[in-house]
Amino acid sequence: MMVGFDFVVIALYFVITFAVGALALRRKHETKEDYFLSGRKLPWHLAGLSMVATTFAADTPLAVTGITLGQGIAGNFLWLSLIPSGLLTAVVYARLWRRSDAMTDAEFATLRYSGTGAVFLRKFRALYLALPVNLIIMGWVTTGMAKVLGVFLDYPPWAMLAALYAVTVLYIVFSGLWGVVVTDVLQFFIAMVGCIVLAFVSVGEAGGLAEMWAKAASQLPKGHTEIYPWYFTGPVYVVVVWLGVQWWASWYPGFEPGGGGYVVQRLLSTKDENHAVGASILFNILHFVVRPWPWILTAVAAAVALPQSADHELMFPRAIAAWLPAGLKGLMVAAFLAAFMSTIATHLNWGAAYLVSDVLPGTRLAPRTHRGEIIVSRLAIVALAIGAIAVSRMMQSVRQGWELILMLSAGTGPVYLIRWYWPRMSAASEISAMCASLVLSLALAQIELAQELKLCVVAAGATFVWVSLTLLMRAPDGGAWQTFKAKVRPDSWGWRDVAAFVSAVALTYASFFALGEILQQNFAAAAVNVAIASGACYALVQLIRQRRLN
């Protein structure tokens, strides 16, 4: 358990967070664009760091630990397979989003389409993302934090979580997105430092790198320490679906095909389209290369040096409790608090943006002044916080939430990629894809079938529905398309776009593998991956420079 010095460290974290949040209060919020998009003045590095801080939630180290111990390091390709999706957004779609000057990704509907169908799609999608999807995400994040608090403190976890929500709401409700971003940057660095310190101590407790990997090879199931997806110990079709289908077929928060959610919110908040591209690339590199290895090292060390738990996700906080001395234990709990508060702050602000910008306009509840919009935004944040706590009480595990979102969105990915380029698409195309995905997911919920196969069935069925409907319906009026095309300029992909995308994907995967091979002390394989990453990085930089000049 923790001692007095640990609580001093945690108290210091709250003092620093509130000090940074207080500085953010100095920025005025005269319009909802100031409140939700920071006046569209964010530089690329702040926007990128804010995005990765949001994904660095309290649940993520637990989920990665559970996957690593249950399915091996290669099992993390459940989410590492999303690398192409994130980088396609960075290389191709980030520019288009910034040119749109939208307030939210839901507003895309009325920019791209026309008529009552476009208005309905905008409101329906905003409500769907703000409430069920957003509350499920905050629910699994809160479930992970509850597990952590249950290990360290003798107080009721849900009472402490309610207090954390109150603290988070207090500083973001007045500071808007700017307050979220500046505290995100601070919280990301605190969280990363804490996880790196824990990994260093954990490896030492396991006997050092060489001894830890030797013990893991003998104590863990065969293949659990392999880092490449083709060594995954489960069925081959699982990896095939992850790498070949999941990244483009499913909508997943942070890695939506074509961009969406809070990622688009950050892209729309940047100074210009070049800052949007830079922010997105920085986000993906930090997310997929820098974040995971401290968690993986801690998971492997805990697997070989601690008594095992039936709940693999709990091994991460148990490593903290077992190995970290006073002060460092408080630092690690502060890191979890930082990760949790950063994610919740973004989702509360993002969800409120949907309600105020997309759902309420045109209704009797719509505020009539800029000041009214700010007041309603703050009330929406409070309401979403209460809803998130209620939903989290229904969840048992973090992975349960991950898989639920992947299933409910299967088949919608192609719609979000193609809608920028196919004039024949209408609001009905998107509505039919979302409805077909939901109906098929619910229909398969009670059938005994592997999650990955269900995803393929839902993706194929939803794609058939929306493509067929698009082709059978009368082509929409071309006026909305021409207006959209003139504003956003979605030119056909050229060879530079394809080459930049391939280079970005190669850079990210090779960097992840290189770091893993270095940690496993396989220096020849590490050198090969470093060479691939270096070549891909050079090519990507040159291609982006050429495109900026053009």
Side-chain angles (χ1 to χ4, degrees):
M1 302 303 291
M2 295 195 296
V3 298
F5 188 37
D6 295 311
F7 290 104
V8 170
V9 173
I10 294 171
L12 182 61
Y13 157 73
F14 279 111
V15 170
I16 295 173
T17 298
F18 270 108
V20 173
L23 290 174
L25 290 175
R26 299 170 62 183
R27 177 170 291 200
K28 294 182 179 180
H29 302 112
E30 297 179 353
T31 66
K32 63 181 180 182
E33 186 173 275
D34 294 329
Y35 192 78
F36 290 122
L37 297 180
S38 194
R40 302 190 195 270
K41 297 177 181 178
L42 285 184
W44 65 275
H45 59 282
L46 288 184
L49 287 169
S50 178
M51 284 189 272
V52 75
T54 297
T55 62
F56 196 135
D59 64 293
T60 317
L62 276 65
V64 170
T65 299
I67 291 169
T68 301
L69 298 186
Q71 298 179 293
I73 295 175
N76 286 289
F77 275 84
L78 167 68
W79 59 275
L80 288 169
S81 61
L82 298 173
I83 285 175
S85 180
L87 289 166
L88 187 61
T89 297
V91 171
V92 176
Y93 292 95
R95 293 177 298 157
L96 306 183
W97 277 114
R98 187 59 187 85
R99 291 172 189 168
S100 75
D101 281 333
M103 276 291 298
T104 66
D105 58 322
E107 187 181 340
F108 179 93
T110 49
L111 294 175
R112 172 65 178 81
Y113 313 117
S114 61
T116 56
V119 176
F120 173 80
L121 173 61
R122 177 177 178 177
K123 292 184 180 298
F124 173 73
R125 180 168 173 76
L127 195 63
Y128 175 73
L129 293 176
L131 296 182
V133 170
N134 198 24
L135 293 179
I136 289 171
I137 295 169
M138 288 192 286
W140 82 54
V141 171
T142 307
T143 298
M145 193 65 202
K147 289 184 177 183
V148 173
L149 293 176
V151 172
F152 295 107
L153 299 170
D154 288 330
Y155 303 100
W158 295 105
M160 291 185 287
L161 285 168
L164 280 177
Y165 266 94
V167 170
T168 306
V169 167
L170 183 62
Y171 77 78
I172 68 164
V173 78
F174 296 107
S175 60
L177 182 64
W178 175 246
V180 173
V181 169
V182 294
T183 52
D184 272 351
V185 174
L186 167 69
Q187 290 163 343
F188 173 70
F189 283 109
I190 292 173
M192 276 306 305
V193 168
C195 288
I196 291 171
V197 168
L198 176 62
F200 183 82
V201 173
S202 299
V203 169
E205 292 289 338
L209 280 173
E211 187 173 342
M212 181 187 76
W213 293 117
K215 289 178 179 178
S218 61
Q219 296 179 22
L220 299 181
K222 184 179 179 181
H224 259 47
T225 59
E226 297 290 348
I227 65 175
Y228 298 98
W230 45 87
Y231 290 113
F232 178 63
T233 55
V236 174
Y237 70 81
V238 172
V239 175
V240 172
V241 172
W242 287 350
L243 296 176
V245 178
Q246 184 170 272
W247 69 269
W248 58 263
S250 289
W251 185 99
Y252 186 81
F255 299 94
E256 306 85 347
Y262 59 80
V263 167
V264 165
Q265 185 192 39
R266 297 303 191 277
L267 299 179
L268 293 170
S269 304
T270 55
K271 294 180 178 180
D272 56 42
E273 62 187 74
N274 292 323
H275 279 265
V277 172
S280 193
I281 292 175
L282 175 64
F283 161 52
N284 281 275
I285 295 296
L286 292 175
H287 179 87
F288 290 113
V289 179
V290 177
R291 292 189 328 152
W293 278 110
W295 305 336
I296 293 172
L297 289 175
T298 300
V300 174
V304 302
L306 285 177
Q308 295 306 291
S309 168
D311 186 346
H312 288 151
E313 293 179 356
L314 282 175
M315 294 304 294
F316 194 90
R318 287 186 176 178
I320 300 171
W323 292 332
L324 291 186
L328 287 182
K329 193 175 296 181
L331 172 65
M332 198 61 221
V333 173
F336 268 101
L337 293 172
F340 173 78
M341 293 172 67
S342 171
T343 301
I344 295 301
T346 283
H347 280 275
L348 291 175
N349 183 278
W350 168 54
Y354 282 132
L355 297 176
V356 176
S357 298
D358 303 304
V359 177
L360 293 183
T363 70
R364 293 181 179 180
L365 298 175
R368 298 181 180 180
T369 64
H370 291 316
R371 178 174 173 77
E373 288 176 339
I374 301 301
I375 292 173
V376 173
S377 301
R378 290 167 176 167
L379 293 175
I381 286 173
V382 175
L384 287 170
I386 295 171
I389 295 174
V391 170
S392 63
R393 298 298 300 268
M394 306 175 192
M395 287 192 172
Q396 300 300 317
S397 73
V398 175
R399 179 165 179 154
Q400 176 188 6
W402 286 16
E403 292 179 342
L404 177 61
I405 290 293
L406 286 171
M407 273 297 295
L408 290 177
S409 64
T412 59
V415 174
Y416 304 133
L417 294 173
I418 297 172
R419 64 185 179 175
W420 298 83
Y421 301 98
W422 192 13
R424 191 178 179 86
M425 286 187 64
S426 66
S429 304
E430 291 198 36
I431 294 169
S432 64
M434 294 174 69
C435 292
S437 175
L438 179 62
V439 170
L440 290 170
S441 295
L442 294 175
L444 292 175
Q446 304 303 320
I447 297 177
E448 289 294 330
L449 189 66
Q451 184 77 11
E452 291 73 21
L453 297 180
K454 286 183 180 181
L455 189 148
C456 289
V457 172
V458 174
T463 301
F464 175 79
V465 168
W466 77 262
V467 171
S468 299
L469 182 68
T470 302
L471 294 174
L472 291 173
M473 289 183 65
R474 186 175 62 183
D477 176 28
W481 165 253
Q482 292 301 329
T483 302
F484 171 79
K485 186 178 180 181
K487 181 179 181 64
V488 179
R489 306 191 305 279
D491 301 325
S492 300
W493 292 6
W495 71 268
R496 286 188 178 90
D497 295 304
V498 176
F501 170 61
V502 172
S503 298
V505 172
L507 165 63
T508 308
Y509 273 126
S511 298
F512 175 82
F513 294 139
L515 191 51
E517 295 288 16
I518 290 170
L519 292 170
Q520 292 191 345
Q521 300 179 325
N522 299 324
F523 297 114
V528 173
N529 281 294
V530 168
I532 295 172
S534 300
C537 182
Y538 177 80
L540 178 62
V541 170
Q542 296 304 313
L543 289 163
I544 289 177
R545 282 180 175 174
Q546 291 176 19
R547 194 167 61 180
R548 287 179 65 178
L549 291 173
N550 291 336

